[in-house]
Amino acid sequence: MSTLYGLGCDLLDAARVDALLNDHGERFVQRILTDAERSEFERRGGAQSRRGVLYLATRYAAKEALAKAWGTGIGKELSFQDVSVLNDEAGRPVCVPADALKLKLAQRGCEVLVSLSDEQTMVMATVMLVPQSDRPRLNHEQLSTRKEEQ
C-alpha cells in the first residue's frame, strides 16, 4: 500500500479573488503569484479578464491546499511564494517548489501532486504529498522554455 504524507483541498469562489483584486490590485497579485506565475497570469489577460482571474484563483486555492496538506497553513512554515503552480507541456498542473520548500520536501521524502478545477464561479484544488518518485521533475526554467517553444 502506498503512503500518503498529506492531503489538502481548497474550494474558492472566484468572486472573492476578484474582490481582493479590486481592493488591493497588483499588491495582491505579487503576494500570491511567483514571477513565473505572474507571466502566465498576464498572458491570460491579467486582472481585466475572466481567464486571468480564474488563473489567479486556482493558484491561490492550490497554495492553500498545499498548506493544508503540509499541516501548518499559510504563514507558519509556508508562504505563497514557496511554490509555483505551473503547467507542463501537456497542460497538467505541476508544483515547482522554491529552494527552501524543495529542501523541506526532501527532508520529508515527499513530493507534491496537484489537481485544479474551475467551473464558472468556483475553483478547487487538491494537493497530495506522496513519497518521492524517481521520475524526472521539471524546474521553472524548463517549464518556461517549453512554453516559449510552443
Side-chain angles (χ1 to χ4, degrees), residues 47-114:
Q48 304 310 312
S49 80
R50 187 79 189 138
R51 284 184 69 219
V53 170
L54 287 174
Y55 179 84
L56 176 59
T58 54
R59 273 51 194 180
Y60 185 97
K63 293 173 186 198
E64 288 284 344
L66 173 60
K68 291 172 183 175
W70 197 259
T72 61
I74 293 288
K76 183 170 179 160
E77 287 188 35
L78 299 175
S79 82
F80 289 111
Q81 297 299 308
D82 283 333
V83 65
S84 292
V85 182
L86 305 173
N87 296 89
D88 68 11
E89 66 277 356
R92 179 180 66 114
V94 292
C95 286
V96 182
D99 289 341
L101 179 56
K102 204 179 293 184
L103 179 62
K104 291 176 185 177
L105 288 166
Q107 289 170 342
R108 287 190 180 191
C110 63
E111 66 179 305
V112 181
L113 300 179
V114 62

